[in-house]
Amino acid sequence: MSISRRKFLGWMSAAGTGALLPKHLGAATTVDFSGYPDSMGVLHDIVRCIGCRRCEAACNAVNELPAPAEPFDDLKVLERKRRSSAGVYTVVNRYGAPPTADSAPLSGASPAYVKKQCNHCLEPACASACFVKAFTKTPEGAVIYDAKVCVGCRYCMIACPFEIPAYEYDNPLTPEVTKCTMCHPRIVEGLLPGCVEACPTEALIYGKREDLLAMARRRIGKHPDQYVEHIYGEREMGGTNWLYLAGEPFENLGLRTDLGTTSAPKLTSGALGAVPIVVGLWPVLLTGVYAMNKRKEKLAAEAQAAAVAAAESAAAQTLTEAKEKAAADQKAALEKLKGEHEKAVAEAVEKAVSDALAEAAAKADSPADAADGDGDATPDGETGAAPDVKPTSDEEDA
């Protein structure tokens, strides 16, 4: 599949026009939404919290989360600051005495214990950043997550000012974004959130958000010496369904006080307004990129095939030349060997003949050989005349 630059830009233009037509936008919003009037929430009274971590144990059990490395009755974990993670929806941190390296000094002698989890914003930043609507603000007040539509972009993690959503990085097949759900399945059945039900000191109170705000104001008015005159979450980032009361400035308790009162969607509506357009253009963009990549792959494959063919041809030519040279070298070697063999044979014959002639000549020149040549020689080498024999005495008497 080939595609020209002109055709690709034409597709982009057509898709951009189509993306502007729909009235319903997934991520961006300019609507002023202040939450559901009868939504529920939780008030965390830090003054009453004793840091027992029973809320953590209840959260773990209700949500069927993995068992922690340290048991929940091990309070040594309070010596370090923790945050929620993929398998931990809520944590309790200690601030103040006994002092820690990352804890600001408190005015009181006793430490303060702060439970941290999703604050369930009235206008959630995570929901405003999610263009597939994986996050939903429910009428009950909880912000819940739908893993079936999540695409894993993790914009929610970047958008959340409280740094709450976590990602299952250790799950390679079906990773999800995780966070506290305010035990939404329980509250729709009329039950309390697990952490609220387990709290032994009523440091966690569940009820209508408006009722919780009224209760917090009464406590501040009744005990001005115990509480700072502020309800954290009433207006922060447009307001949250998780509220805090404390006897110390909230910046000393690990809670952000630089967020302002404007909700996240209002702050990001301009930028997020482009998300549906990007989503509409995305398939066309991917199609164009795919087509271009396929063309590049085709050209690369053709070039590779040509290079392979050329290499094979060169290899075949080289092999033929090598075979011819080897045959010629072998023939020359055989001819050379044959010549050397014939020369050696001739020299051996010539030497044998020469040696035979020399031996014969030597025999002919010797005296014994000369005498043997007349046929008259005796074994002693004397002539054939009879030797003089002296007669014996008997012969003389005769």
Side-chain angles (χ1 to χ4, degrees):
M1 178 181 180
S2 62
I3 180 174
S4 65
R5 185 186 300 272
R6 185 184 300 274
K7 182 181 294 185
F8 174 65
L9 293 177
W11 288 357
M12 291 289 288
S13 176
T17 303
L20 292 173
L21 294 178
K23 300 297 183 181
H24 178 70
L25 303 181
T29 179
T30 57
V31 178
D32 186 8
F33 174 70
S34 58
Y36 296 98
D38 294 328
S39 64
M40 309 298 284
V42 176
L43 174 64
H44 176 30
D45 191 336
I46 297 174
V47 174
R48 295 190 177 191
C49 184
I50 60 174
C52 64
R53 299 184 64 202
R54 292 186 185 178
C55 55
E56 292 187 38
C59 178
N60 180 274
V62 168
N63 294 284
E64 299 179 351
L65 301 176
E70 301 94 349
F72 290 108
D73 57 358
D74 183 2
L75 301 185
K76 291 182 181 179
V77 299
L78 298 175
E79 297 176 0
R80 65 179 187 275
K81 295 299 178 289
R82 298 174 296 146
R83 58 165 294 178
S84 57
S85 61
V88 180
Y89 293 176
T90 185
V91 295
V92 175
N93 286 327
R94 183 180 64 201
Y95 294 86
T100 57
D102 54 353
S103 176
L106 303 184
S107 59
S110 300
Y113 299 96
V114 183
K115 178 182 181 297
K116 293 186 177 180
Q117 68 297 302
C118 175
N119 286 331
H120 301 279
C121 303
L122 298 182
E123 297 183 75
C126 55
S128 68
C130 183
F131 58 86
V132 295
K133 293 186 176 181
F135 286 92
T136 305
K137 178 68 175 180
T138 65
E140 294 79 18
V143 178
I144 60 175
Y145 165 77
D146 186 358
K148 296 179 181 178
V149 298
C150 180
V151 297
C153 67
R154 285 162 281 175
Y155 291 162
C156 55
M157 298 174 63
I158 301 173
C160 179
F162 303 107
E163 300 180 348
I164 292 300
Y167 191 72
E168 294 179 326
Y169 289 102
D170 57 348
N171 184 354
L173 299 179
T174 57
E176 297 181 5
V177 176
T178 66
K179 70 173 194 67
C180 162
T181 65
M182 203 191 292
C183 291
H184 185 258
R186 288 173 58 89
I187 63 178
V188 295
E189 295 180 0
L191 302 175
L192 292 174
C195 58
V196 175
E197 189 175 63
C199 183
T201 62
E202 295 185 355
L204 299 174
I205 303 172
Y206 176 77
K208 285 187 178 181
R209 185 175 186 271
E210 294 302 323
D211 295 341
L212 295 176
L213 288 172
M215 178 186 295
R217 293 189 187 101
R218 287 196 301 270
R219 288 188 181 182
I220 293 174
K222 188 176 180 179
H223 304 283
D225 57 330
Q226 296 183 17
Y227 297 97
V228 296
E229 194 175 353
H230 181 68
I231 305 171
Y232 191 93
E234 181 177 11
R235 294 186 178 87
E236 277 77 9
M237 291 300 295
T240 64
N241 283 82
W242 201 281
L243 306 170
Y244 292 87
L245 274 180
E248 297 285 343
F250 289 102
E251 59 267 22
N252 295 342
L253 302 176
L255 296 173
R256 294 186 61 178
T257 57
D258 60 339
L259 299 175
T261 60
T262 305
S263 65
K266 292 179 182 178
L267 293 173
T268 59
S269 60
L272 293 175
V275 171
I277 299 177
V278 173
V279 174
L281 294 177
W282 196 249
V284 180
L285 175 62
L286 292 180
T287 301
V289 172
Y290 175 78
M292 292 179 181
N293 287 338
K294 292 298 291 183
R295 178 168 177 77
K296 289 181 179 179
E297 291 175 2
K298 181 180 179 181
L299 294 176
E302 292 176 352
Q304 184 179 9
V308 170
E312 291 177 349
S313 177
Q317 181 67 26
T318 302
L319 182 60
T320 301
E321 293 176 355
K323 288 181 178 180
E324 292 176 352
K325 185 176 183 304
D329 292 343
Q330 183 180 11
K331 183 178 180 180
L334 290 174
E335 292 178 352
K336 180 179 179 182
L337 183 61
K338 181 179 179 181
E340 292 177 352
H341 177 69
E342 292 177 349
K343 180 179 179 182
V345 171
E347 289 178 352
V349 171
E350 182 178 357
K351 185 175 181 303
V353 172
S354 176
D355 292 344
L357 293 176
E359 183 180 358
K363 289 181 178 181
D365 293 340
S366 64
D369 289 342
D372 291 340
D374 293 339
D376 295 331
T378 63
D380 296 330
E382 298 176 354
T383 62
D388 292 337
V389 179
K390 185 177 180 180
T392 62
S393 60
D394 293 335
E395 290 178 344
E396 289 179 356
D397 294 336

